Amino acid sequence: MKPLQKILLQLENHISNFEKINPRVSNSTIGWQIDHCLLVINGVISQLEISNPAEFQSKFNFNRFIVFTTGKIPRGKIRAPKVVTPIDVATLEDLKTKMEFAKSKISKLATLPKKSFFKHPFLNDLNVKQTEKFLVIHTKHHLKIIEDILR
């Protein structure tokens, strides 16, 4: 099983805690954290699918170097773009539906051209392999927040 699939299963295991909140950690519920991750995964892979691999530009990016080297995103330093910020409170059914959609999206990654890409607002163009790595790091970041909420 690929790392992104494994991390998605860990996220799925927290769906039953979707209403829990701990204001000392975050003003968002666990459901918000899960919903945000699923919006990112589904949205980013959709961008890979519609990208033109011929337009991919590989350039050094210091932020990407730091995030990929450490495997961490600093907490509270970056705000999520509006497109991946949940507006409504997701229901249990919403989360389950988005989770199944994410599983099907992830399974399509292996079929995409290697230079399919996603334009990240801070990390610049990410090809398929880099995007997978980013999605794992991003989801782990939110899993850590979820675990801290549950403490």
Side-chain angles (χ1 to χ4, degrees):
M1 183 178 298
K2 290 189 149 210
L4 186 53
Q5 291 168 318
K6 285 174 79 171
I7 203 87
L8 191 67
L9 289 176
Q10 290 176 32
L11 196 64
E12 185 175 33
N13 289 335
H14 287 291
I15 288 179
S16 61
N17 296 315
F18 81 106
E19 292 179 316
K20 292 189 178 173
I21 190 167
N22 183 343
R24 291 175 305 201
V25 176
S26 173
N27 291 324
S28 303
T29 63
I30 287 176
W32 186 97
Q33 300 290 332
I34 294 169
D35 197 11
H36 168 69
C37 287
L38 295 173
L39 286 171
V40 169
I41 290 167
N42 293 332
V44 166
I45 295 173
S46 292
Q47 289 301 307
L48 287 174
E49 291 172 324
I50 64 169
S51 71
N52 178 354
E55 294 175 2
F56 174 69
Q57 295 179 7
S58 179
K59 292 190 269 186
F60 176 78
N61 178 285
F62 184 73
N63 292 329
R64 181 176 61 224
F65 175 77
I66 296 297
V67 169
F68 282 15
T69 301
T70 63
K72 294 184 180 186
I73 297 170
R75 195 179 286 189
K77 299 290 183 196
I78 300 171
R79 292 277 169 233
K82 287 183 182 183
V83 71
V84 291
T85 301
I87 298 168
D88 299 319
V89 177
T91 65
L92 191 58
E93 285 307 311
D94 292 336
L95 294 176
K96 287 179 179 179
T97 300
K98 289 177 184 178
M99 181 64 68
E100 291 308 312
F101 189 61
K103 288 176 183 176
S104 81
K105 285 284 194 190
I106 289 170
S107 70
K108 294 177 184 176
L109 282 173
T111 66
L112 295 174
K114 290 179 182 180
K115 288 193 176 181
S116 295
F117 70 101
F118 152 67
K119 283 189 180 294
H120 188 279
F122 301 107
L123 308 179
N124 293 344
D125 288 3
L126 302 176
N127 63 26
V128 174
K129 185 177 177 182
Q130 292 168 322
T131 298
E132 268 191 270
K133 185 170 185 168
F134 163 72
L135 291 173
V136 168
I137 292 168
H138 179 264
T139 306
K140 281 183 179 180
H141 170 78
H142 286 281
L143 277 169
K144 177 80 171 95
I145 294 170
I146 290 168
E147 289 162 7
D148 288 350
I149 288 171
L150 290 171
R151 285 186 201 172

